[in-house]
Amino acid sequence: MTTYTAPIKDMQFLLQDVLKVTEAGIPGYEDLDRAFTAAVLEEAGKVASEVLAPLNSVGDRDGCVLENGVVRTPEGFKAAFAAMKDGGWTALDCDPAYGGQGLPYVLNSAVGEIFVSANMAFNMYQGLTHGAYSAIHAHGTDDQKATYLPKMVTCDWTGTMNLTEPHCGTDLGLLRTKAEPQADGSYKITGQKIFISAGDHDLAENIIHLVLAKAPGGGEGTKGISLFIVPKFLVNADGTLGARNAVSVGKIEDKMGIHGNATCVLNYDGATGFLLGELHKGMRAMFTMMNEARLGVGLQGYAVAEAAYQNAVAYAKDRLQGRDVTGVKNPTGPADPLIVHPDIRRNLMDQKSFVEGARALTFWGATLIDRVHRSGDAAADGLVGLLTPVIKGFQTDKGFDMAVQAQQVYGGHGYIEEWGMSQFVRDARIAMIYEGANGVQALDLVGRKLASDGGKHVMAFFELVKAECRAHDGDDRMKPFTEALKTASKQLQQAGLFFMQNGMKSPNAALAGSYDFMHLMGHVCLGLMWTRMAKAAFTALDAGSEDPAFHETKIATGRYYMARQLPACAMHLARIESGADPVMALPDAAF
Amino acid sequence: MTTYTAPIKDMQFLLQDVLKVTEAGIPGYEDLDRAFTAAVLEEAGKVASEVLAPLNSVGDRDGCVLENGVVRTPEGFKAAFAAMKDGGWTALDCDPAYGGQGLPYVLNSAVGEIFVSANMAFNMYQGLTHGAYSAIHAHGTDDQKATYLPKMVTCDWTGTMNLTEPHCGTDLGLLRTKAEPQADGSYKITGQKIFISAGDHDLAENIIHLVLAKAPGGGEGTKGISLFIVPKFLVNADGTLGARNAVSVGKIEDKMGIHGNATCVLNYDGATGFLLGELHKGMRAMFTMMNEARLGVGLQGYAVAEAAYQNAVAYAKDRLQGRDVTGVKNPTGPADPLIVHPDIRRNLMDQKSFVEGARALTFWGATLIDRVHRSGDAAADGLVGLLTPVIKGFQTDKGFDMAVQAQQVYGGHGYIEEWGMSQFVRDARIAMIYEGANGVQALDLVGRKLASDGGKHVMAFFELVKAECRAHDGDDRMKPFTEALKTASKQLQQAGLFFMQNGMKSPNAALAGSYDFMHLMGHVCLGLMWTRMAKAAFTALDAGSEDPAFHETKIATGRYYMARQLPACAMHLARIESGADPVMALPDAAF
């Protein structure tokens, strides 16, 4: 059995000392003082440790069951979901006009991390609802908003996103689900959707499916796609539930992980749907909230790694095996704890320095999203658009790797389901795939985001890194950070230059290096975060920190990241500069 | 459902053109001509594709069941095991004195790869038997050999290895299982052993457990440990089965993967055991066959990756998604196959270049073991001892990573159990843990093997690399190989030098870099293998190859490895040279 404790001190350090939210000048941030964020995070931490974490292994073991067309969630999920609703946790950053609390997205992200760490599969029921809420909020008519949003804010009704079909996932232009216009302005939706997370369950009275489908007259490919609201139960004019709609669960998928979430095949047989947003502009509507959704998956990447790390540390301190080669540390015991061994420490430091760096990047990304939504800041919009594929792709890849490393600390016990480490690995694996597989994130980064607005956003990013380094020019203590960051940032620039020079001849020269570029940029981003965190920690120490051990640990952890992880940048650059030839040399038949 | 086809052409290329087995001067190798090895491998390939591979998902889904104290293997395993026995596959490299075929270990390894790729969990029943066979063969009395070996060669009786106990795995000095000497020269064995692969099942009449236990008078720690033969059924003087011994199955572990193999808790309650080898020298007896066993696990690492790769290629050619950015490749279809996309190709090339390189290293290692066993070659013994932790640790880490990448090619379908890619990942994971977790392999490499015999073996390895590069001095076509290999080898030497210079002050300086050293050396080894393979391919082309596409593919695949993977060496060196300080900076309480 695994346990989980919310890392509130780390989160507070980020919000208050690194991001300095109350001074950020973002509307609504002025309320996020130290006491307020502490209160929210502590309360969330309690729910996570006491209600959600104990259900994590239950959900994994029992999974969801389809009986007579109805999905039953694992024992205890209903009560836990009720507790989440009662606590107001589903409404945190939702619009007060529809019953939400109107808090910033950055605080919602911190709380989200806590819930995901405790129970990723469970948290997806409200996570998907939030995505659907955002789509309706952004594109719905006043009537649609009034009908659906209040119920979705409370999670009395949950939501889903229906994109994938058996023959198409990434390439949505191929989709076949049809929408036939009816005389009353509604549509009849017919087709099969697969991999629908939270597709059906017994946690809510109604489920609001958002479905991509092709209505007549839109033309070929993605241009013909529209987005529809298809409720499980139709909603009467007075807001009560009406007839059951013609959508049914084909099956629940048997997956590698996140067993507590029902991933469904949904069959639409002339189901009644209502156009959301403009006709034939469904892709645009669906992608409006893409940055937010992908940031949420990038958050899952490190949130699961955080939970795995906590348990690996506990095991490494508890398990006695072998002796410290530099001298016995536990003379009264039969052996020393695992944590004395340098390679175990290397493993734990990898995890710790990644998780804390990724948390910083994700929180920073969340403040940028707040800046966009609350201040209409175009530069922030461009920057977060650039960072999004990095946050999603890099963090979920590394988060999975770190969960694997945490599992490794347990030796053979890590491979036994009873100990719970296997679940972290199996759960973390999906984040590399859904919401755009990581190869697609790399393609988005290199094929689209780098060059968007004439490369303005990536140039702004490089300027930001330079400014950060310049700001610490006279501070010798910061040199291990700024020197490593400068080198890594130059390598990233050199990679971008290589794409510009060679991508003209063939786009493959850039695309063959896209995955390495995503990782190279991920390291630069985390290097930037560690530089900021180190500075904040030095500042706190200079001011007579009340918790010097905490701040010294931050600096040492950051130095580890700079010394041990940033050297990966040169490797990624070398791969990128080897160009497309090695990658594309073989004819298809040679594989 | 996954499929599998034995890569016989690749294996033949290695055996006949790279390793040139018939000219190797190893007793018994003269029989391994092209026609003979082809016949054996083709026959093994048939069994693998037709009998073992179809059972792979069955074993994963149904697992093993403990009923009334007896373990039942999945449906179909009994018939498949009978087919393996009837085909003589269990006896391939066993001693003819006990009914074996006396073939070289290298051929047994090639056949083993084929069986592991097809069904790793199933193949462990005979794999563990082979380990126990080797221990009895090396350390048993004539009487013990006569009693057990003929039945184990045929797998009428299978074997197990019992090391781990609940509180100790790596640190066997802590073990508590007791052996009390009896008047008749036997021992009463009492204690609990866990993680016993193939610990019980319904595939054989008897199971011969080899058990580490402490007999009186041996002193503390590992010095007091002896090795015992503990048969499930005692064997009468005439070779028939006698009474049931006092060993029982406590439970079958619920594992992340290899569900088809019964991993048991075994309880010994005064079970009758017979000393194997010398009293209080059980560790030595157990570790005699360690190189072989670890090579076998390193083989699992890439063998599972090979199977995953084959399926990923098939999916990438079949699945239509998106269009080639350089021009449509499948104009009559709705989209191009995945394999046109550069990042998919990068992914597949990673897999292909690793698997083929690892196969070469493993086969080479197997010839070294044959050289030791058949020619008593001390230099080969030292070299294979050095290579063993690299083959085990590096290949199982990378094999797992490659299985994950193969799964990624499938997108969402890779996460669904039905498609079988999840199983490859879950099965591959154990190879990083058992037979010495990979951190322990790194410790063995850096803490023991590097310095053994005054560093003679690692110096010999560097000489071997130098000689290989020198041999191609005038050949410009070989430059991409020799240049990259020279650089990587120098980096490995520099890392070794760092350990020598700093390890004197504190062993942690070396141990904190041990894992990176293992990976750095793994890349150098695969670089060496690709250099040899490229040379063999050029030679074949120069001689008017009958299959130029095959040889050109080898060269291109090797160039990919040199260009895209060897740059990891500089990263590992940089991490190593950052020393122990970043790794050891934090007090335990800071984690």
Side-chain angles (χ1 to χ4, degrees):
Chain A
M1 256 296 271
T2 58
T3 60
Y4 171 72
T5 307
I8 291 169
K9 209 189 273 189
D10 294 90
M11 290 181 164
Q12 285 283 81
F13 171 70
L14 276 179
L15 293 172
Q16 304 298 339
D17 301 317
V18 181
L19 297 168
K20 295 184 179 131
V21 284
T22 55
E23 303 163 28
I26 303 172
Y29 271 43
E30 57 282 356
D31 299 332
L32 300 180
D33 62 39
R34 207 173 281 270
F36 177 73
T37 56
V40 172
L41 297 176
E42 275 160 23
E43 204 50 48
K46 253 185 233 166
V47 175
S49 298
E50 293 168 13
V51 180
L52 304 190
L55 285 177
N56 197 36
S57 63
V58 176
D60 185 57
R61 191 189 59 218
D62 297 350
C64 296
V65 183
L66 178 62
E67 280 171 344
N68 306 320
V70 181
V71 173
R72 184 161 46 76
T73 56
E75 183 77 28
F77 271 41
K78 267 188 179 175
F81 204 68
M84 293 290 283
K85 288 165 59 175
D86 292 349
W89 296 109
T90 65
L92 220 57
D93 71 336
C94 295
D95 189 343
Y98 304 101
Q101 299 178 40
L103 287 165
Y105 180 65
V106 70
L107 191 61
N108 197 53
S109 296
V111 170
E113 180 199 315
I114 292 173
F115 293 158
V116 171
S117 288
N119 197 327
M120 175 173 163
F122 176 87
N123 200 59
M124 289 170 66
Y125 292 101
Q126 66 157 315
L128 270 297
T129 306
H130 196 279
Y133 156 89
S134 298
I136 296 175
H137 191 266
H139 302 285
T141 61
D142 288 346
D143 200 37
Q144 286 172 335
K145 291 191 215 180
T147 303
Y148 300 106
L149 294 188
K151 292 287 193 180
M152 294 176 79
V153 164
T154 57
C155 274
D156 286 332
W157 300 353
T158 64
T160 71
M161 303 293 235
N162 294 239
L163 290 79
T164 307
E165 299 184 4
H167 62 288
C168 73
T170 301
D171 189 354
L172 290 169
L174 303 176
L175 69 79
R176 294 179 191 150
T177 297
K178 274 185 208 158
E180 298 164 88
Q182 306 297 303
D184 65 355
S186 72
Y187 289 78
K188 289 280 174 224
I189 311 291
T190 303
Q192 186 175 67
K193 293 289 182 177
I194 65 169
F195 302 159
I196 309 309
S197 298
D200 196 54
H201 54 79
D202 52 5
L203 302 177
E205 301 158 10
N206 200 6
I207 301 175
I208 310 306
H209 303 294
L210 298 194
V211 184
L212 286 183
K214 285 191 172 172
E220 289 291 298
T222 55
K223 287 191 292 288
I225 295 174
S226 305
L227 184 58
F228 298 90
I229 298 174
V230 185
K232 178 177 174 181
F233 291 97
L234 295 169
V235 181
N236 298 321
D238 64 355
T240 58
L241 296 187
R244 182 75 163 76
N245 208 344
V247 47
S248 59
V249 182
K251 67 167 173 174
I252 301 180
E253 301 286 1
D254 178 17
K255 307 185 299 292
M256 186 178 182
I258 51 167
H259 296 160
N261 199 278
T263 305
C264 297
V265 173
L266 291 184
N267 295 315
Y268 293 88
D269 301 306
T272 300
F274 308 99
L275 183 68
L276 177 61
E278 286 182 69
L279 188 67
H280 302 142
K281 295 192 173 158
M283 291 298 283
R284 197 185 300 173
M286 194 56 125
F287 281 85
T288 308
M289 67 292 307
M290 200 46 96
N291 283 344
E292 205 179 309
R294 290 182 169 176
L295 202 90
V297 176
L299 180 150
Q300 290 180 326
Y302 81 83
V304 174
E306 162 73 31
Y309 165 75
Q310 288 189 13
N311 287 279
V313 167
Y315 192 81
K317 288 180 177 176
D318 182 62
R319 175 84 169 176
L320 306 180
Q321 207 79 177
R323 290 294 188 187
D324 187 333
V325 290
T326 64
V328 168
K329 289 290 183 298
N330 177 32
T332 59
D336 289 338
L338 284 180
I339 201 167
V340 304
H341 302 299
D343 188 61
I344 294 288
R345 227 164 243 269
R346 185 255 333 147
N347 183 341
L348 295 175
M349 289 299 292
D350 281 350
Q351 296 174 54
K352 182 174 171 61
S353 63
F354 162 72
V355 167
E356 294 178 17
R359 177 181 297 123
L361 181 60
T362 305
F363 283 19
W364 180 44
T367 65
L368 293 173
I369 286 182
D370 277 327
R371 221 177 264 284
V372 176
H373 289 165
R374 290 165 180 256
S375 311
D377 185 327
D381 196 29
L383 185 57
V384 78
L386 177 74
L387 294 176
T388 294
V390 178
I391 291 174
K392 197 282 182 183
F394 176 73
Q395 289 188 183
T396 59
D397 275 1
K398 290 289 174 190
F400 174 75
D401 289 347
M402 292 305 107
V404 170
Q405 286 193 196
Q407 181 187 30
Q408 189 74 10
V409 172
Y410 281 67
H413 299 277
Y415 199 65
I416 307 298
E417 293 294 352
E418 187 186 341
W419 288 81
M421 301 306 285
S422 163
Q423 186 188 351
F424 290 133
V425 172
R426 290 183 290 97
D427 285 358
R429 183 66 183 90
I430 189 58
M432 298 158 70
I433 299 172
Y434 62 17
E435 208 60 41
N438 286 356
V440 175
Q441 303 298 327
L443 180 65
D444 177 48
L445 176 63
V446 169
R448 196 174 304 141
K449 299 293 172 62
L450 277 192
S452 74
D453 296 325
K456 195 166 82 177
H457 309 299
V458 73
M459 296 313 295
F461 175 76
F462 286 126
E463 279 310 314
L464 205 143
V465 171
K466 263 188 222 162
E468 182 71 33
C469 292
R470 252 198 318 267
H472 313 306
D473 251 355
D475 190 346
D476 274 358
R477 303 173 305 180
M478 287 299 292
K479 270 204 173 160
F481 294 90
T482 52
E483 294 300 314
L485 179 58
K486 271 183 213 166
T487 302
S489 178
K490 271 180 205 154
Q491 287 160 337
L492 184 64
Q493 281 178 273
Q494 200 175 322
L497 202 65
F498 178 86
F499 290 160
M500 280 174 60
Q501 288 167 341
N502 298 277
M504 306 291 271
K505 279 173 275 174
S506 163
N508 284 350
L511 297 181
S514 58
Y515 213 87
D516 281 287
F517 190 88
M518 180 172 77
H519 275 258
L520 172 43
M521 185 158 170
H523 284 299
V524 172
C525 286
L526 261 59
L528 174 64
M529 292 302 109
W530 273 116
T531 302
R532 287 185 184 168
M533 286 193 278
K535 181 64 191 176
F538 279 123
T539 304
L541 287 167
D542 291 346
S545 161
E546 284 176 16
D547 192 352
F550 175 82
H551 292 111
E552 280 155 13
T553 296
K554 277 285 167 222
I555 293 162
T557 307
R559 288 188 70 148
Y560 181 90
Y561 196 87
M562 305 314 273
R564 289 255 167 178
Q565 300 304 339
L566 286 202
C569 295
M571 175 187 73
H572 291 301
L573 176 60
R575 286 185 187 161
I576 288 165
E577 292 188 331
S578 76
D581 289 351
V583 177
M584 307 303 288
L586 297 186
D588 294 1
F591 284 93
Chain B
M1 256 295 273
T2 58
T3 60
Y4 171 72
T5 308
I8 291 169
K9 210 190 271 190
D10 293 89
M11 290 181 165
Q12 285 283 80
F13 171 71
L14 276 179
L15 294 172
Q16 304 298 338
D17 301 317
V18 181
L19 297 168
K20 296 186 178 126
V21 283
T22 56
E23 302 162 29
I26 302 171
Y29 271 42
E30 57 282 354
D31 299 333
L32 302 179
D33 62 40
R34 205 173 282 269
F36 178 73
T37 55
V40 172
L41 297 175
E42 275 161 23
E43 202 52 45
K46 251 185 235 168
V47 175
S49 298
E50 293 168 13
V51 181
L52 304 190
L55 285 177
N56 197 36
S57 62
V58 176
D60 185 58
R61 190 189 60 218
D62 297 350
C64 296
V65 183
L66 178 62
E67 279 172 345
N68 306 318
V70 180
V71 173
R72 185 161 44 78
T73 56
E75 183 78 29
F77 271 41
K78 267 188 179 174
F81 204 67
M84 293 290 282
K85 288 164 62 173
D86 293 348
W89 296 110
T90 65
L92 220 59
D93 71 336
C94 294
D95 188 343
Y98 303 101
Q101 297 179 40
L103 288 165
Y105 180 65
V106 70
L107 190 61
N108 197 53
S109 297
V111 169
E113 180 199 316
I114 292 172
F115 293 158
V116 171
S117 289
N119 196 326
M120 174 172 163
F122 176 87
N123 199 60
M124 289 171 66
Y125 291 102
Q126 66 156 314
L128 270 297
T129 306
H130 197 279
Y133 156 89
S134 298
I136 297 175
H137 192 265
H139 300 286
T141 62
D142 287 346
D143 201 38
Q144 285 172 335
K145 291 192 214 179
T147 302
Y148 300 105
L149 295 188
K151 291 288 193 180
M152 295 176 78
V153 164
T154 56
C155 274
D156 286 333
W157 300 353
T158 63
T160 72
M161 303 293 237
N162 293 238
L163 290 80
T164 307
E165 298 182 8
H167 62 288
C168 73
T170 301
D171 189 354
L172 290 170
L174 302 176
L175 69 79
R176 293 178 191 149
T177 297
K178 273 186 208 158
E180 298 164 89
Q182 305 298 302
D184 65 355
S186 72
Y187 289 77
K188 290 279 173 222
I189 311 291
T190 303
Q192 186 176 67
K193 294 289 182 176
I194 65 169
F195 301 159
I196 310 307
S197 298
D200 196 54
H201 53 80
D202 52 6
L203 302 177
E205 300 157 10
N206 201 6
I207 301 176
I208 311 305
H209 303 295
L210 297 194
V211 183
L212 285 182
K214 285 191 171 171
E220 289 293 296
T222 55
K223 285 191 292 289
I225 295 174
S226 306
L227 184 58
F228 298 90
I229 298 173
V230 186
K232 178 177 175 182
F233 290 98
L234 294 169
V235 182
N236 298 320
D238 64 354
T240 58
L241 296 186
R244 183 75 162 76
N245 208 346
V247 48
S248 59
V249 182
K251 69 167 171 174
I252 300 179
E253 301 287 1
D254 178 15
K255 308 184 300 290
M256 185 178 183
I258 51 165
H259 296 161
N261 198 278
T263 304
C264 297
V265 172
L266 291 184
N267 295 316
Y268 294 87
D269 301 306
T272 300
F274 308 99
L275 182 67
L276 177 60
E278 287 181 68
L279 188 67
H280 303 140
K281 294 192 174 157
M283 289 299 282
R284 197 185 302 172
M286 193 58 125
F287 279 85
T288 308
M289 68 291 310
M290 200 46 96
N291 283 343
E292 204 178 311
R294 290 182 168 175
L295 202 90
V297 176
L299 180 150
Q300 290 180 326
Y302 81 83
V304 175
E306 162 74 33
Y309 166 74
Q310 288 189 14
N311 287 280
V313 166
Y315 191 81
K317 289 180 177 177
D318 182 61
R319 175 83 170 176
L320 305 180
Q321 207 80 178
R323 290 293 188 187
D324 187 334
V325 289
T326 63
V328 169
K329 288 290 183 301
N330 177 31
T332 58
D336 289 338
L338 284 180
I339 201 167
V340 304
H341 301 300
D343 188 61
I344 294 288
R345 227 164 243 269
R346 186 251 340 143
N347 184 341
L348 295 175
M349 289 299 292
D350 281 350
Q351 296 175 54
K352 182 175 171 62
S353 63
F354 162 72
V355 167
E356 295 179 17
R359 177 181 297 124
L361 181 59
T362 305
F363 282 20
W364 179 44
T367 65
L368 293 174
I369 286 182
D370 277 326
R371 222 177 262 283
V372 176
H373 289 164
R374 290 166 179 255
S375 311
D377 185 328
D381 195 29
L383 185 57
V384 78
L386 177 74
L387 295 175
T388 294
V390 178
I391 291 174
K392 198 281 182 183
F394 176 74
Q395 289 187 184
T396 58
D397 276 2
K398 288 290 173 188
F400 174 74
D401 289 347
M402 292 304 106
V404 171
Q405 286 194 197
Q407 181 187 29
Q408 190 73 9
V409 173
Y410 280 67
H413 299 277
Y415 201 64
I416 307 298
E417 293 295 351
E418 187 187 340
W419 287 81
M421 300 307 285
S422 163
Q423 186 188 351
F424 290 134
V425 172
R426 291 183 290 97
D427 286 357
R429 183 67 183 89
I430 189 58
M432 297 157 70
I433 299 172
Y434 62 19
E435 208 62 41
N438 286 356
V440 176
Q441 302 298 326
L443 180 65
D444 177 48
L445 176 63
V446 169
R448 197 174 302 141
K449 299 292 174 62
L450 276 192
S452 75
D453 295 324
K456 197 166 82 177
H457 309 300
V458 72
M459 296 312 297
F461 175 76
F462 287 127
E463 279 310 315
L464 205 143
V465 171
K466 265 189 219 161
E468 182 71 33
C469 292
R470 254 200 316 270
H472 313 306
D473 251 355
D475 190 345
D476 274 359
R477 302 172 304 181
M478 288 298 292
K479 270 202 174 161
F481 294 90
T482 53
E483 294 300 315
L485 178 59
K486 271 182 212 166
T487 303
S489 176
K490 271 180 205 154
Q491 288 160 335
L492 184 65
Q493 281 178 275
Q494 200 176 324
L497 202 64
F498 178 86
F499 290 159
M500 280 174 60
Q501 289 167 341
N502 298 279
M504 306 290 272
K505 279 172 275 175
S506 165
N508 283 351
L511 297 182
S514 58
Y515 214 87
D516 282 286
F517 189 88
M518 180 173 77
H519 274 258
L520 172 43
M521 185 157 169
H523 283 299
V524 173
C525 286
L526 261 58
L528 174 64
M529 292 301 110
W530 273 116
T531 303
R532 287 185 184 169
M533 287 193 279
K535 181 64 192 176
F538 279 125
T539 303
L541 287 167
D542 291 345
S545 162
E546 283 176 14
D547 192 351
F550 174 81
H551 293 110
E552 281 155 12
T553 297
K554 277 285 166 219
I555 294 162
T557 307
R559 288 188 70 148
Y560 181 91
Y561 195 87
M562 305 314 273
R564 289 255 166 179
Q565 300 304 338
L566 286 202
C569 294
M571 174 186 73
H572 292 301
L573 176 60
R575 286 185 187 161
I576 288 165
E577 292 188 330
S578 76
D581 288 352
V583 177
M584 307 304 289
L586 297 186
D588 293 3
F591 284 93

